Amino acid sequence: MNQAELKEFLDEKVQLYNSPKFIESDPIQIPHRFTVKEDIEIIAFLVATIAWGNRKSIINSGNKIAELLGNAPHDFVINHREHDLDRLLRFVHRTFNGIDLQFFIHSLKNIYENHGGLESVFKKNATKSSIQPAIHSFKKIFFSIPHPERTMKHVSDPLKNSAAKRINMFLRWMVRNDTTGVDFGIWKTLDPALLSCPLDVHSGNVARSLGLLSRKQNDAKALLELDSSLRKLDPVDPVKYDFALFGLGVFENFK
């Protein structure tokens, strides 16, 4: 396929998969249960953090987190007492456990009370051409209070060559307004053109098959290459193609 044909092919797949039906089988369904901005972004961040492995398992674990927070994420983060955190110790999703979840609540409280909230932290540190430096700065702020060493592995750092798949997915949810009701678009201070595709096994393999990506590892260098390819197809909304790449890989077994 030439570039025009590739764009037409992928645009058709975006229309197919970037629809409300996508929500039914995706972890994004959990933040869609909430209506208040702070509730949406907090539960979305927590769900995105545990988004690796089987999607059904991710959804089940995400629902457990929402229940543990009393289905009021922002209120729990801001107003919890120390004994309220005890029940979080029963949580476990793969290598993310109750100790990690307790610290995430502490850190989120610090971010909302002292840094203006999640959107503010990312907005302050994005550059004119990339949101990846903002992820690096976010991690520094997130772990600026006393923390378990084990928990640091659950927040990726692009400047340490991570593709930061889960945070990039979270940012897609928050920043991109797709008009179809899948991505939320509730963060108005960040430009969707700066977003990066959540690069994982499925999207990476499909991107390589289509000639969008040549690097074999799914790391920060590969993400930069994929960003460049997708921005040529749509400089305004490049990460819409995440739906096409993911859908082709997961639902169509495209190779």
Short mmCIF file of all heavy atoms in Angstrom, two decimals, residues 55-117:
data_model
loop_
_atom_site.label_atom_id
_atom_site.label_comp_id
_atom_site.label_asym_id
_atom_site.label_seq_id
_atom_site.Cartn_x
_atom_site.Cartn_y
_atom_site.Cartn_z
N ARG A 55 -7.65 -8.83 29.42
CA ARG A 55 -8.52 -7.64 29.58
C ARG A 55 -9.68 -7.91 30.54
O ARG A 55 -10.09 -7.01 31.28
CB ARG A 55 -9.04 -7.17 28.22
CG ARG A 55 -7.96 -6.49 27.39
CD ARG A 55 -8.54 -5.62 26.31
NE ARG A 55 -9.27 -6.41 25.34
CZ ARG A 55 -10.20 -5.93 24.53
NH1 ARG A 55 -10.54 -4.65 24.59
NH2 ARG A 55 -10.82 -6.70 23.66
N LYS A 56 -10.21 -9.12 30.53
CA LYS A 56 -11.28 -9.45 31.48
C LYS A 56 -10.78 -9.35 32.91
O LYS A 56 -11.47 -8.82 33.79
CB LYS A 56 -11.82 -10.85 31.20
CG LYS A 56 -13.02 -11.22 32.06
CD LYS A 56 -13.59 -12.58 31.66
CE LYS A 56 -14.80 -12.93 32.52
NZ LYS A 56 -15.36 -14.26 32.15
N SER A 57 -9.56 -9.81 33.15
CA SER A 57 -8.96 -9.71 34.47
C SER A 57 -8.72 -8.26 34.87
O SER A 57 -8.94 -7.87 36.02
CB SER A 57 -7.64 -10.49 34.50
OG SER A 57 -6.97 -10.32 35.72
N ILE A 58 -8.28 -7.44 33.91
CA ILE A 58 -8.06 -6.01 34.19
C ILE A 58 -9.37 -5.35 34.59
O ILE A 58 -9.43 -4.58 35.56
CB ILE A 58 -7.48 -5.30 32.94
CG1 ILE A 58 -6.10 -5.85 32.60
CG2 ILE A 58 -7.41 -3.80 33.16
CD1 ILE A 58 -5.61 -5.47 31.22
N ILE A 59 -10.44 -5.66 33.86
CA ILE A 59 -11.75 -5.07 34.16
C ILE A 59 -12.22 -5.50 35.54
O ILE A 59 -12.71 -4.68 36.34
CB ILE A 59 -12.77 -5.45 33.07
CG1 ILE A 59 -12.40 -4.76 31.74
CG2 ILE A 59 -14.19 -5.07 33.50
CD1 ILE A 59 -13.14 -5.31 30.54
N ASN A 60 -12.07 -6.78 35.87
CA ASN A 60 -12.47 -7.27 37.20
C ASN A 60 -11.69 -6.56 38.30
O ASN A 60 -12.27 -6.14 39.32
CB ASN A 60 -12.26 -8.78 37.30
CG ASN A 60 -13.27 -9.57 36.48
OD1 ASN A 60 -14.35 -9.07 36.18
ND2 ASN A 60 -12.93 -10.80 36.12
N SER A 61 -10.38 -6.41 38.10
CA SER A 61 -9.55 -5.75 39.11
C SER A 61 -9.88 -4.26 39.20
O SER A 61 -9.89 -3.69 40.29
CB SER A 61 -8.07 -5.94 38.77
OG SER A 61 -7.69 -7.30 38.89
N GLY A 62 -10.17 -3.65 38.06
CA GLY A 62 -10.55 -2.24 38.08
C GLY A 62 -11.84 -2.01 38.83
O GLY A 62 -11.99 -1.03 39.58
N ASN A 63 -12.79 -2.91 38.66
CA ASN A 63 -14.05 -2.82 39.40
C ASN A 63 -13.82 -2.98 40.90
O ASN A 63 -14.47 -2.31 41.72
CB ASN A 63 -15.04 -3.88 38.91
CG ASN A 63 -15.69 -3.50 37.58
OD1 ASN A 63 -15.96 -2.33 37.33
ND2 ASN A 63 -15.94 -4.49 36.74
N LYS A 64 -12.88 -3.85 41.27
CA LYS A 64 -12.56 -4.03 42.69
C LYS A 64 -11.97 -2.74 43.28
O LYS A 64 -12.30 -2.37 44.41
CB LYS A 64 -11.58 -5.19 42.86
CG LYS A 64 -12.20 -6.55 42.63
CD LYS A 64 -11.16 -7.67 42.74
CE LYS A 64 -11.77 -9.02 42.41
NZ LYS A 64 -10.77 -10.11 42.38
N ILE A 65 -11.10 -2.08 42.52
CA ILE A 65 -10.54 -0.81 43.00
C ILE A 65 -11.65 0.20 43.22
O ILE A 65 -11.70 0.88 44.26
CB ILE A 65 -9.50 -0.25 42.01
CG1 ILE A 65 -8.24 -1.14 42.00
CG2 ILE A 65 -9.12 1.18 42.39
CD1 ILE A 65 -7.18 -0.69 41.01
N ALA A 66 -12.56 0.32 42.26
CA ALA A 66 -13.67 1.28 42.40
C ALA A 66 -14.49 0.97 43.66
O ALA A 66 -14.86 1.89 44.41
CB ALA A 66 -14.55 1.24 41.16
N GLU A 67 -14.74 -0.30 43.90
CA GLU A 67 -15.50 -0.69 45.10
C GLU A 67 -14.73 -0.36 46.37
O GLU A 67 -15.32 0.13 47.36
CB GLU A 67 -15.81 -2.18 45.04
CG GLU A 67 -16.81 -2.57 43.95
CD GLU A 67 -16.89 -4.07 43.74
OE1 GLU A 67 -16.31 -4.82 44.57
OE2 GLU A 67 -17.51 -4.50 42.75
N LEU A 68 -13.43 -0.63 46.39
CA LEU A 68 -12.62 -0.33 47.58
C LEU A 68 -12.58 1.16 47.88
O LEU A 68 -12.43 1.56 49.04
CB LEU A 68 -11.19 -0.86 47.38
CG LEU A 68 -11.03 -2.39 47.43
CD1 LEU A 68 -9.64 -2.79 46.94
CD2 LEU A 68 -11.26 -2.91 48.85
N LEU A 69 -12.73 1.97 46.85
CA LEU A 69 -12.76 3.43 47.04
C LEU A 69 -14.18 3.94 47.26
O LEU A 69 -14.42 5.15 47.20
CB LEU A 69 -12.13 4.12 45.82
CG LEU A 69 -10.69 3.74 45.47
CD1 LEU A 69 -10.17 4.62 44.34
CD2 LEU A 69 -9.77 3.83 46.68
N GLY A 70 -15.10 3.03 47.51
CA GLY A 70 -16.48 3.42 47.79
C GLY A 70 -17.17 4.03 46.59
O GLY A 70 -18.15 4.77 46.73
N ASN A 71 -16.70 3.71 45.39
CA ASN A 71 -17.23 4.28 44.15
C ASN A 71 -17.28 5.80 44.20
O ASN A 71 -18.15 6.43 43.59
CB ASN A 71 -18.61 3.69 43.83
CG ASN A 71 -18.51 2.24 43.37
OD1 ASN A 71 -17.83 1.93 42.41
ND2 ASN A 71 -19.18 1.34 44.10
N ALA A 72 -16.34 6.38 44.93
CA ALA A 72 -16.20 7.83 45.03
C ALA A 72 -14.70 8.14 45.07
O ALA A 72 -14.17 8.55 46.12
CB ALA A 72 -16.91 8.37 46.26
N PRO A 73 -13.99 7.96 43.95
CA PRO A 73 -12.52 8.03 43.96
C PRO A 73 -11.95 9.33 44.49
O PRO A 73 -11.04 9.31 45.33
CB PRO A 73 -12.16 7.82 42.48
CG PRO A 73 -13.32 7.10 41.89
CD PRO A 73 -14.52 7.59 42.63
N HIS A 74 -12.45 10.46 44.04
CA HIS A 74 -11.88 11.75 44.47
C HIS A 74 -12.14 11.99 45.94
O HIS A 74 -11.24 12.42 46.68
CB HIS A 74 -12.46 12.89 43.63
CG HIS A 74 -11.87 14.22 43.96
ND1 HIS A 74 -12.61 15.25 44.52
CD2 HIS A 74 -10.60 14.70 43.84
CE1 HIS A 74 -11.82 16.30 44.71
NE2 HIS A 74 -10.61 16.00 44.31
N ASP A 75 -13.34 11.71 46.39
CA ASP A 75 -13.66 11.90 47.80
C ASP A 75 -12.78 11.00 48.67
O ASP A 75 -12.29 11.44 49.72
CB ASP A 75 -15.15 11.58 48.04
CG ASP A 75 -15.54 11.74 49.51
OD1 ASP A 75 -15.52 12.89 50.00
OD2 ASP A 75 -15.84 10.73 50.17
N PHE A 76 -12.57 9.77 48.24
CA PHE A 76 -11.72 8.86 49.01
C PHE A 76 -10.29 9.38 49.06
O PHE A 76 -9.65 9.39 50.13
CB PHE A 76 -11.75 7.45 48.41
CG PHE A 76 -11.06 6.42 49.26
CD1 PHE A 76 -11.77 5.66 50.18
CD2 PHE A 76 -9.69 6.20 49.15
CE1 PHE A 76 -11.14 4.72 50.98
CE2 PHE A 76 -9.04 5.26 49.94
CZ PHE A 76 -9.77 4.52 50.86
N VAL A 77 -9.76 9.80 47.93
CA VAL A 77 -8.39 10.31 47.88
C VAL A 77 -8.20 11.50 48.81
O VAL A 77 -7.23 11.57 49.57
CB VAL A 77 -8.00 10.69 46.42
CG1 VAL A 77 -6.74 11.55 46.39
CG2 VAL A 77 -7.78 9.43 45.59
N ILE A 78 -9.12 12.42 48.78
CA ILE A 78 -8.98 13.66 49.55
C ILE A 78 -9.33 13.49 51.02
O ILE A 78 -8.65 14.05 51.90
CB ILE A 78 -9.85 14.78 48.93
CG1 ILE A 78 -9.40 15.08 47.50
CG2 ILE A 78 -9.81 16.05 49.78
CD1 ILE A 78 -7.96 15.53 47.38
N ASN A 79 -10.34 12.71 51.32
CA ASN A 79 -10.89 12.70 52.68
C ASN A 79 -10.66 11.41 53.47
O ASN A 79 -11.13 11.29 54.60
CB ASN A 79 -12.41 12.98 52.61
CG ASN A 79 -12.71 14.35 52.05
OD1 ASN A 79 -12.11 15.34 52.45
ND2 ASN A 79 -13.64 14.42 51.11
N HIS A 80 -9.92 10.46 52.90
CA HIS A 80 -9.72 9.21 53.63
C HIS A 80 -8.92 9.44 54.91
O HIS A 80 -8.13 10.39 55.00
CB HIS A 80 -8.98 8.19 52.74
CG HIS A 80 -7.54 8.54 52.53
ND1 HIS A 80 -7.09 9.32 51.49
CD2 HIS A 80 -6.42 8.19 53.23
CE1 HIS A 80 -5.79 9.45 51.55
NE2 HIS A 80 -5.35 8.77 52.60
N ARG A 81 -9.14 8.57 55.87
CA ARG A 81 -8.30 8.50 57.06
C ARG A 81 -7.43 7.26 56.95
O ARG A 81 -7.73 6.36 56.17
CB ARG A 81 -9.18 8.47 58.32
CG ARG A 81 -10.04 9.74 58.46
CD ARG A 81 -10.80 9.76 59.76
NE ARG A 81 -11.58 10.98 59.89
CZ ARG A 81 -12.31 11.30 60.96
NH1 ARG A 81 -12.37 10.45 61.99
NH2 ARG A 81 -12.98 12.43 61.00
N GLU A 82 -6.38 7.23 57.74
CA GLU A 82 -5.41 6.15 57.60
C GLU A 82 -6.06 4.78 57.73
O GLU A 82 -5.71 3.85 57.00
CB GLU A 82 -4.27 6.31 58.60
CG GLU A 82 -3.25 7.37 58.19
CD GLU A 82 -2.63 7.08 56.82
OE1 GLU A 82 -2.10 5.98 56.62
OE2 GLU A 82 -2.70 7.97 55.94
N HIS A 83 -7.01 4.65 58.64
CA HIS A 83 -7.63 3.32 58.82
C HIS A 83 -8.47 2.92 57.61
O HIS A 83 -8.74 1.74 57.39
CB HIS A 83 -8.46 3.27 60.11
CG HIS A 83 -9.68 4.15 60.08
ND1 HIS A 83 -10.86 3.75 59.50
CD2 HIS A 83 -9.89 5.41 60.57
CE1 HIS A 83 -11.76 4.72 59.63
NE2 HIS A 83 -11.19 5.74 60.27
N ASP A 84 -8.89 3.91 56.81
CA ASP A 84 -9.64 3.59 55.59
C ASP A 84 -8.78 2.86 54.57
O ASP A 84 -9.30 2.15 53.69
CB ASP A 84 -10.19 4.87 54.94
CG ASP A 84 -11.22 5.57 55.81
OD1 ASP A 84 -12.02 4.87 56.46
OD2 ASP A 84 -11.22 6.82 55.83
N LEU A 85 -7.46 3.03 54.69
CA LEU A 85 -6.56 2.40 53.73
C LEU A 85 -6.33 0.92 54.04
O LEU A 85 -5.80 0.20 53.19
CB LEU A 85 -5.21 3.13 53.73
CG LEU A 85 -5.23 4.60 53.31
CD1 LEU A 85 -3.83 5.19 53.40
CD2 LEU A 85 -5.78 4.76 51.90
N ASP A 86 -6.72 0.50 55.24
CA ASP A 86 -6.47 -0.89 55.63
C ASP A 86 -7.10 -1.88 54.66
O ASP A 86 -6.51 -2.91 54.31
CB ASP A 86 -6.99 -1.16 57.04
CG ASP A 86 -6.19 -0.41 58.10
OD1 ASP A 86 -5.09 0.06 57.78
OD2 ASP A 86 -6.68 -0.31 59.25
N ARG A 87 -8.33 -1.54 54.21
CA ARG A 87 -9.03 -2.50 53.34
C ARG A 87 -8.38 -2.62 51.96
O ARG A 87 -8.63 -3.59 51.24
CB ARG A 87 -10.51 -2.11 53.20
CG ARG A 87 -10.80 -0.80 52.48
CD ARG A 87 -12.31 -0.65 52.34
NE ARG A 87 -12.74 0.54 51.64
CZ ARG A 87 -13.11 1.66 52.25
NH1 ARG A 87 -13.07 1.75 53.58
NH2 ARG A 87 -13.52 2.72 51.54
N LEU A 88 -7.53 -1.66 51.60
CA LEU A 88 -6.86 -1.73 50.30
C LEU A 88 -5.81 -2.84 50.26
O LEU A 88 -5.41 -3.28 49.18
CB LEU A 88 -6.19 -0.39 49.96
CG LEU A 88 -7.07 0.86 49.97
CD1 LEU A 88 -6.28 2.04 49.43
CD2 LEU A 88 -8.35 0.66 49.16
N LEU A 89 -5.36 -3.27 51.43
CA LEU A 89 -4.31 -4.29 51.49
C LEU A 89 -4.74 -5.63 50.89
O LEU A 89 -3.91 -6.46 50.54
CB LEU A 89 -3.84 -4.50 52.93
CG LEU A 89 -2.95 -3.39 53.50
CD1 LEU A 89 -2.68 -3.62 54.97
CD2 LEU A 89 -1.63 -3.32 52.71
N ARG A 90 -6.05 -5.83 50.78
CA ARG A 90 -6.54 -7.11 50.23
C ARG A 90 -6.45 -7.13 48.69
O ARG A 90 -6.64 -8.17 48.08
CB ARG A 90 -7.98 -7.35 50.67
CG ARG A 90 -9.02 -6.48 49.96
CD ARG A 90 -10.43 -6.70 50.44
NE ARG A 90 -10.66 -6.05 51.70
CZ ARG A 90 -11.84 -5.54 52.08
NH1 ARG A 90 -12.88 -5.66 51.28
NH2 ARG A 90 -11.97 -4.94 53.23
N PHE A 91 -6.14 -5.98 48.09
CA PHE A 91 -6.13 -5.91 46.63
C PHE A 91 -4.85 -6.50 46.04
O PHE A 91 -3.75 -6.29 46.56
CB PHE A 91 -6.26 -4.46 46.14
CG PHE A 91 -6.26 -4.34 44.64
CD1 PHE A 91 -7.42 -4.59 43.92
CD2 PHE A 91 -5.10 -4.02 43.94
CE1 PHE A 91 -7.44 -4.51 42.54
CE2 PHE A 91 -5.10 -3.93 42.56
CZ PHE A 91 -6.27 -4.17 41.85
N VAL A 92 -5.00 -7.22 44.93
CA VAL A 92 -3.83 -7.67 44.18
C VAL A 92 -4.22 -7.87 42.72
O VAL A 92 -5.27 -8.44 42.41
CB VAL A 92 -3.24 -8.98 44.78
CG1 VAL A 92 -4.26 -10.11 44.74
CG2 VAL A 92 -1.97 -9.38 44.04
N HIS A 93 -3.39 -7.34 41.85
CA HIS A 93 -3.52 -7.60 40.41
C HIS A 93 -2.12 -7.84 39.87
O HIS A 93 -1.31 -6.92 39.77
CB HIS A 93 -4.17 -6.42 39.67
CG HIS A 93 -4.24 -6.63 38.18
ND1 HIS A 93 -5.28 -7.30 37.58
CD2 HIS A 93 -3.39 -6.27 37.17
CE1 HIS A 93 -5.07 -7.35 36.27
NE2 HIS A 93 -3.93 -6.73 36.00
N ARG A 94 -1.82 -9.09 39.58
CA ARG A 94 -0.49 -9.48 39.14
C ARG A 94 0.54 -8.97 40.14
O ARG A 94 0.50 -9.34 41.30
CB ARG A 94 -0.26 -9.01 37.70
CG ARG A 94 -1.25 -9.67 36.71
CD ARG A 94 -1.15 -9.12 35.31
NE ARG A 94 0.04 -9.58 34.64
CZ ARG A 94 0.08 -10.61 33.81
NH1 ARG A 94 -1.02 -11.30 33.56
NH2 ARG A 94 1.20 -10.97 33.20
N THR A 95 1.47 -8.10 39.74
CA THR A 95 2.49 -7.63 40.69
C THR A 95 2.11 -6.33 41.40
O THR A 95 2.88 -5.82 42.21
CB THR A 95 3.84 -7.42 39.98
OG1 THR A 95 3.70 -6.38 39.00
CG2 THR A 95 4.30 -8.71 39.31
N PHE A 96 0.93 -5.80 41.10
CA PHE A 96 0.46 -4.59 41.76
C PHE A 96 -0.43 -5.02 42.94
O PHE A 96 -1.46 -5.65 42.75
CB PHE A 96 -0.34 -3.73 40.78
CG PHE A 96 -0.74 -2.37 41.31
CD1 PHE A 96 0.05 -1.25 41.06
CD2 PHE A 96 -1.89 -2.20 42.07
CE1 PHE A 96 -0.31 0.00 41.51
CE2 PHE A 96 -2.25 -0.95 42.55
CZ PHE A 96 -1.45 0.15 42.27
N ASN A 97 0.00 -4.66 44.16
CA ASN A 97 -0.74 -5.15 45.32
C ASN A 97 -1.27 -4.01 46.20
O ASN A 97 -1.20 -2.84 45.84
CB ASN A 97 0.12 -6.13 46.14
CG ASN A 97 1.34 -5.46 46.76
OD1 ASN A 97 1.40 -4.24 46.92
ND2 ASN A 97 2.32 -6.27 47.13
N GLY A 98 -1.78 -4.40 47.36
CA GLY A 98 -2.39 -3.42 48.26
C GLY A 98 -1.42 -2.36 48.77
O GLY A 98 -1.81 -1.21 49.01
N ILE A 99 -0.16 -2.72 48.96
CA ILE A 99 0.84 -1.74 49.39
C ILE A 99 1.01 -0.67 48.31
O ILE A 99 1.08 0.53 48.61
CB ILE A 99 2.19 -2.45 49.67
CG1 ILE A 99 2.06 -3.36 50.89
CG2 ILE A 99 3.31 -1.43 49.88
CD1 ILE A 99 3.28 -4.24 51.11
N ASP A 100 1.05 -1.11 47.06
CA ASP A 100 1.16 -0.18 45.95
C ASP A 100 -0.07 0.72 45.89
O ASP A 100 0.04 1.94 45.71
CB ASP A 100 1.31 -0.94 44.63
CG ASP A 100 2.51 -1.86 44.62
OD1 ASP A 100 3.60 -1.42 45.05
OD2 ASP A 100 2.36 -3.02 44.20
N LEU A 101 -1.24 0.14 46.02
CA LEU A 101 -2.48 0.91 45.94
C LEU A 101 -2.56 1.94 47.07
O LEU A 101 -2.98 3.08 46.85
CB LEU A 101 -3.69 -0.03 45.98
CG LEU A 101 -5.07 0.63 45.83
CD1 LEU A 101 -5.15 1.47 44.55
CD2 LEU A 101 -6.16 -0.45 45.84
N GLN A 102 -2.15 1.55 48.27
CA GLN A 102 -2.13 2.52 49.37
C GLN A 102 -1.24 3.71 49.04
O GLN A 102 -1.64 4.86 49.26
CB GLN A 102 -1.62 1.83 50.65
CG GLN A 102 -2.64 0.93 51.34
CD GLN A 102 -2.09 0.37 52.64
OE1 GLN A 102 -0.89 0.21 52.83
NE2 GLN A 102 -2.99 0.05 53.57
N PHE A 103 -0.06 3.45 48.51
CA PHE A 103 0.82 4.57 48.18
C PHE A 103 0.21 5.42 47.07
O PHE A 103 0.31 6.66 47.10
CB PHE A 103 2.21 4.12 47.75
CG PHE A 103 3.02 5.29 47.26
CD1 PHE A 103 3.53 6.22 48.17
CD2 PHE A 103 3.20 5.53 45.91
CE1 PHE A 103 4.21 7.35 47.73
CE2 PHE A 103 3.88 6.65 45.45
CZ PHE A 103 4.40 7.56 46.37
N PHE A 104 -0.39 4.80 46.07
CA PHE A 104 -1.00 5.57 44.98
C PHE A 104 -2.03 6.56 45.54
O PHE A 104 -2.13 7.69 45.08
CB PHE A 104 -1.64 4.63 43.96
CG PHE A 104 -0.72 4.27 42.82
CD1 PHE A 104 0.51 3.68 43.05
CD2 PHE A 104 -1.10 4.50 41.50
CE1 PHE A 104 1.36 3.34 42.01
CE2 PHE A 104 -0.26 4.16 40.45
CZ PHE A 104 0.97 3.59 40.70
N ILE A 105 -2.80 6.13 46.53
CA ILE A 105 -3.79 7.03 47.14
C ILE A 105 -3.09 8.17 47.86
O ILE A 105 -3.47 9.35 47.72
CB ILE A 105 -4.71 6.25 48.11
CG1 ILE A 105 -5.48 5.16 47.35
CG2 ILE A 105 -5.67 7.20 48.81
CD1 ILE A 105 -6.32 5.63 46.20
N HIS A 106 -2.04 7.87 48.61
CA HIS A 106 -1.26 8.94 49.28
C HIS A 106 -0.72 9.93 48.26
O HIS A 106 -0.81 11.15 48.46
CB HIS A 106 -0.08 8.32 50.06
CG HIS A 106 -0.44 7.74 51.38
ND1 HIS A 106 -1.05 8.48 52.39
CD2 HIS A 106 -0.26 6.49 51.90
CE1 HIS A 106 -1.23 7.72 53.44
NE2 HIS A 106 -0.77 6.50 53.18
N SER A 107 -0.15 9.43 47.19
CA SER A 107 0.47 10.30 46.21
C SER A 107 -0.56 11.13 45.47
O SER A 107 -0.34 12.32 45.19
CB SER A 107 1.31 9.48 45.22
OG SER A 107 2.02 10.34 44.36
N LEU A 108 -1.68 10.52 45.13
CA LEU A 108 -2.74 11.28 44.45
C LEU A 108 -3.27 12.40 45.35
O LEU A 108 -3.54 13.51 44.88
CB LEU A 108 -3.88 10.34 44.04
CG LEU A 108 -3.58 9.44 42.83
CD1 LEU A 108 -4.63 8.34 42.70
CD2 LEU A 108 -3.50 10.26 41.55
N LYS A 109 -3.37 12.14 46.64
CA LYS A 109 -3.80 13.19 47.56
C LYS A 109 -2.80 14.35 47.53
O LYS A 109 -3.18 15.52 47.48
CB LYS A 109 -3.95 12.65 48.98
CG LYS A 109 -4.44 13.71 49.97
CD LYS A 109 -4.74 13.12 51.34
CE LYS A 109 -5.32 14.19 52.27
NZ LYS A 109 -5.68 13.64 53.59
N ASN A 110 -1.52 14.02 47.55
CA ASN A 110 -0.49 15.05 47.48
C ASN A 110 -0.60 15.85 46.18
O ASN A 110 -0.47 17.09 46.18
CB ASN A 110 0.90 14.40 47.57
CG ASN A 110 2.02 15.40 47.39
OD1 ASN A 110 2.09 16.41 48.08
ND2 ASN A 110 2.92 15.13 46.46
N ILE A 111 -0.86 15.17 45.08
CA ILE A 111 -0.97 15.84 43.78
C ILE A 111 -2.17 16.78 43.74
O ILE A 111 -2.08 17.91 43.24
CB ILE A 111 -1.04 14.80 42.65
CG1 ILE A 111 0.37 14.23 42.40
CG2 ILE A 111 -1.62 15.39 41.37
CD1 ILE A 111 0.42 13.07 41.43
N TYR A 112 -3.28 16.37 44.30
CA TYR A 112 -4.47 17.23 44.28
C TYR A 112 -4.38 18.37 45.29
O TYR A 112 -4.87 19.47 45.03
CB TYR A 112 -5.74 16.39 44.51
CG TYR A 112 -6.20 15.70 43.25
CD1 TYR A 112 -5.74 14.43 42.94
CD2 TYR A 112 -7.04 16.34 42.34
CE1 TYR A 112 -6.11 13.80 41.76
CE2 TYR A 112 -7.43 15.71 41.17
CZ TYR A 112 -6.95 14.45 40.88
OH TYR A 112 -7.31 13.84 39.71
N GLU A 113 -3.72 18.12 46.41
CA GLU A 113 -3.64 19.17 47.43
C GLU A 113 -2.50 20.15 47.19
O GLU A 113 -2.61 21.33 47.55
CB GLU A 113 -3.49 18.52 48.82
CG GLU A 113 -4.75 17.82 49.29
CD GLU A 113 -4.64 17.34 50.74
OE1 GLU A 113 -3.50 17.20 51.23
OE2 GLU A 113 -5.70 17.10 51.35
N ASN A 114 -1.43 19.70 46.56
CA ASN A 114 -0.23 20.53 46.46
C ASN A 114 0.24 20.83 45.04
O ASN A 114 1.13 21.67 44.86
CB ASN A 114 0.93 19.88 47.23
CG ASN A 114 0.61 19.70 48.70
OD1 ASN A 114 0.19 20.63 49.38
ND2 ASN A 114 0.78 18.48 49.21
N HIS A 115 -0.34 20.18 44.04
CA HIS A 115 0.13 20.37 42.67
C HIS A 115 -1.00 20.68 41.69
O HIS A 115 -0.78 20.65 40.48
CB HIS A 115 0.91 19.14 42.20
CG HIS A 115 2.16 18.89 42.98
ND1 HIS A 115 3.35 19.53 42.72
CD2 HIS A 115 2.39 18.09 44.06
CE1 HIS A 115 4.28 19.11 43.57
NE2 HIS A 115 3.72 18.24 44.40
N GLY A 116 -2.18 20.95 42.18
CA GLY A 116 -3.27 21.37 41.31
C GLY A 116 -3.99 20.26 40.58
O GLY A 116 -4.82 20.53 39.70
N GLY A 117 -3.69 19.00 40.90
CA GLY A 117 -4.38 17.88 40.27
C GLY A 117 -3.60 17.26 39.14
O GLY A 117 -2.56 17.77 38.70
#
